[in-house]
Amino acid sequence: MASLTLRGRGVDFPKDDEWNTPPEAWIDIKEYIPNKVIWEPFMLNNKTSTSITTLQEMGFEVLGNSTDDFFETNKGEVIVSNPPFSIKGKVIKRLYELDKPFIVILPISTLSQIQFKKYFTDKIQIIIPKRRIQFMKNEEQLKRSFFDVIYYCYKCDLPKDIIFL
Ligand SMILES: C[S@@+](CC[C@H](N)C(=O)[O-])C[C@H]1O[C@@H](n2cnc3c(N)ncnc32)[C@H](O)[C@@H]1O
């Protein structure tokens, strides 16, 4: 998928949302994930979601499939996912409209993005990973991510607003 380009460090990168989430990204925050029916919505036209597999293996009930469009579907009691970063503004607006608890992984820079300020000021709690999360391509973990991501949590009743793992 290379129809758009994203800019980073003065270089153009092809738009590519097809990155899977390494299992440890969810295992590391197990204690903070609400014990409710999870919707992992982001796997449109994708054969696998490592998030779904991992969360199921951790014992959670997880809904989600490859024909659901996030913008036209509403399932489960809590959203736990790794959204496509290229449309994060639209995703944040939709999360606001759904108004259900969520934990989503997004770049740390998203915190100062206009949509977050507009919809979630004073309502977001964050979890900072121990180390930079490296995403997976075709089951291989490529250690080349040049930006940090954090967990954005809404209505999850975390014990503190900022948690450093
Ligand atoms: C960062 S990947 C996460 C993949 C997988 N859910 C995981 O965590 O391993 C984001 C995924 O969202 C999918 N996606 C893009 N637009 C979508 C939409 N409107 N509804 C649902 N999924 C979408 C992309 O195809 C991509 O597979």
Side-chain angles (χ1 to χ4, degrees):
M1 197 196 288
S3 55
L4 263 179
T5 58
L6 301 174
R7 292 192 69 79
R9 285 187 175 173
V11 186
D12 279 347
F13 291 96
K15 172 189 161 183
D16 181 4
D17 287 322
E18 302 307 322
W19 293 86
N20 281 315
T21 313
E24 64 270 17
W26 299 125
I27 292 167
D28 286 353
I29 61 156
K30 182 173 184 186
E31 66 189 287
Y32 303 117
I33 300 176
N35 194 14
K36 296 183 173 176
V37 179
I38 290 174
W39 178 28
E40 201 290 77
F42 291 108
M43 61 173 303
L44 187 64
N45 302 326
N46 213 337
K47 285 192 208 73
T48 55
S49 164
T50 47
S51 289
I52 292 185
T53 316
T54 304
L55 291 162
Q56 284 173 337
E57 285 173 3
M58 287 163 66
F60 292 101
E61 182 179 347
V62 189
L63 307 175
N65 68 57
S66 60
T67 55
D68 288 345
D69 186 324
F70 175 63
F71 301 99
E72 292 166 12
T73 318
N74 185 2
K75 293 179 173 175
E77 298 169 305
V78 56
I79 292 168
V80 179
S81 193
N82 172 16
F85 297 168
S86 71
I87 52 168
K88 56 185 185 299
K90 269 179 75 183
V91 169
I92 292 164
K93 181 169 186 285
R94 174 80 176 140
L95 288 170
Y96 169 76
E97 288 163 359
L98 288 168
D99 194 32
K100 60 170 70 181
F102 64 73
I103 300 181
V104 294
I105 296 173
L106 287 169
I108 191 163
S109 57
T110 311
L111 197 54
S112 59
Q113 193 167 328
I114 186 79
Q115 288 88 351
F116 244 105
K117 290 185 197 160
K118 183 169 173 190
Y119 298 119
F120 289 109
T121 303
D122 296 333
K123 295 180 190 151
I124 279 291
Q125 297 183 302
I126 58 175
I127 304 174
I128 318 288
K130 250 188 242 157
R131 60 190 77 82
R132 181 169 288 174
I133 294 178
Q134 299 289 348
F135 295 99
M136 299 166 70
K137 190 63 124 182
N138 304 325
E139 297 178 18
E140 191 190 347
Q141 196 164 17
L142 302 179
K143 301 207 162 86
R144 67 178 199 204
S145 184
F146 59 84
F147 57 89
D148 286 302
V149 297
I150 61 174
Y151 306 87
Y152 293 83
C153 310
Y154 174 67
K155 289 190 173 175
C156 289
D157 293 326
L158 303 188
K160 292 200 294 185
D161 287 345
I162 303 177
I163 294 177
F164 287 86
L165 294 181

